[in-house]
Amino acid sequence: MDKQLPGTLFLIVGPSGVGKGTVIAHLKKRRPEFDYPISATTRKPRAGEEDGVVYHFVDRDTFERMIEEGELLEYAIVHNKEYYGTLKTPILDALKEGRTVIREVDMQGCESIQEVLPEENVVSIFLTVPDKQDLIDRIQKRGKLPAEEIKRRMESAEKEFAKGGEVCNYQVPSLNNKVKECVDKVEAIINSEIHAEDTHDINGA
Ligand code: 5GP
């Protein structure tokens, strides 16, 4: 089917701790020609996180103003707590220019984007783990999160696992100590989707 916009948005989805950020960081190095738009969030930056790299860190008032002014493609309250939202202009502009855009979102964000963008312009990749204890270990390793926060993240994870197969186009295992294999698979999916698009491109570009 012909695409309504020339570019493609690849959504990287999966529970907290599954390695979405790591996969995207590797892709960014391998494929600097793709777009990696930042999102807005009300959560506080973690140690070492800089504003403007993965997120624009804003307060609640600013986020709510962004919602009112229609600046977000979608937004969600993640882990029942903080706002996260993709920025409309950078993503739509890139898609109009025929670019490949990569962004991680939670399951709610994935479903919202599937509703607002043409189906042919969105490819979702769910990163999954075979063992939930493995996920708990990874979440704990990330920093000293309070037990309540871990519980909240595991509850979100359960919901995401339940939906991953049905909502997303692809599922890729993200195994501990096997980051390269996971990135290879994600990159292969992106390449095959982009290549499939080329065959539809009447300009042959
Ligand atoms: P973290 O706080 O660990 O960076 O992210 C928490 C969750 O929010 C993750 O599942 C992440 O994928 C999701 N997330 C990050 N950016 C966005 C966004 O722009 N929109 C939505 N809906 N979720 C996001």
Side-chain angles (χ1 to χ4, degrees):
M1 200 190 296
D2 282 348
K3 298 190 357 161
Q4 296 189 24
L5 298 166
T8 306
L9 171 60
F10 290 88
L11 297 176
I12 308 296
V13 191
S16 177
V18 79
K20 290 167 288 183
T22 307
V23 166
I24 293 177
H26 279 79
L27 272 177
K28 223 172 182 174
K29 281 194 192 140
R30 286 191 195 182
R31 307 300 293 265
E33 73 274 27
F34 297 159
D35 274 36
Y36 300 88
I38 61 167
S39 282
T41 182
T42 56
R43 92 149 156 74
K44 299 277 168 287
R46 299 191 186 111
E49 257 185 340
E50 267 175 56
D51 188 64
V53 178
V54 176
Y55 292 112
H56 180 33
F57 297 100
V58 298
D59 59 26
R60 259 186 127 72
D61 286 349
T62 306
F63 197 100
E64 283 168 359
R65 198 167 54 240
M66 293 170 91
I67 298 173
E68 273 165 32
E69 292 181 3
E71 291 176 27
L72 303 175
L73 189 59
E74 60 72 42
Y75 70 93
I77 295 175
V78 176
H79 307 317
N80 298 319
K81 207 176 161 202
E82 303 288 353
Y83 278 126
Y84 290 78
T86 37
L87 306 180
K88 196 184 278 175
T89 308
I91 294 180
L92 289 186
D93 285 355
L95 293 179
K96 284 177 198 157
E97 284 170 20
R99 300 177 63 81
T100 297
V101 184
I102 320 274
R103 176 67 217 179
E104 71 158 287
V105 287
D106 81 325
M107 189 61 74
Q108 305 169 78
C110 178
E111 290 184 286
S112 303
I113 290 175
Q114 286 175 340
E115 274 171 30
V116 296
L117 288 184
E119 197 184 335
E120 309 77 44
N121 290 103
V122 185
V123 175
S124 48
I125 304 172
F126 187 78
L127 302 189
T128 184
V129 286
D131 181 356
K132 284 180 195 151
Q133 185 55 46
D134 179 57
L135 198 62
I136 295 176
D137 294 347
R138 291 201 221 183
I139 292 172
Q140 275 167 336
K141 256 187 225 154
R142 184 183 268 178
K144 288 193 188 72
L145 289 177
E148 192 196 317
E149 180 67 28
I150 295 191
K151 187 168 167 270
R152 203 172 7 236
R153 283 173 184 252
M154 284 312 291
E155 281 167 3
S156 303
E158 297 284 352
K159 286 187 201 152
E160 303 227 336
F161 279 125
K163 282 196 161 186
E166 122 201 11
V167 170
C168 296
N169 302 107
Y170 295 93
Q171 290 200 61
V172 174
S174 167
L175 303 174
N176 250 336
N177 309 319
K178 295 208 168 158
V179 178
K180 186 183 172 296
E181 280 91 329
C182 182
V183 181
D184 286 348
K185 289 202 173 104
V186 170
E187 191 181 15
I189 291 169
I190 296 171
N191 285 338
S192 74
E193 288 281 347
I194 295 173
H195 182 69
E197 283 151 25
D198 286 346
T199 62
H200 294 299
D201 188 341
I202 51 168
N203 298 316

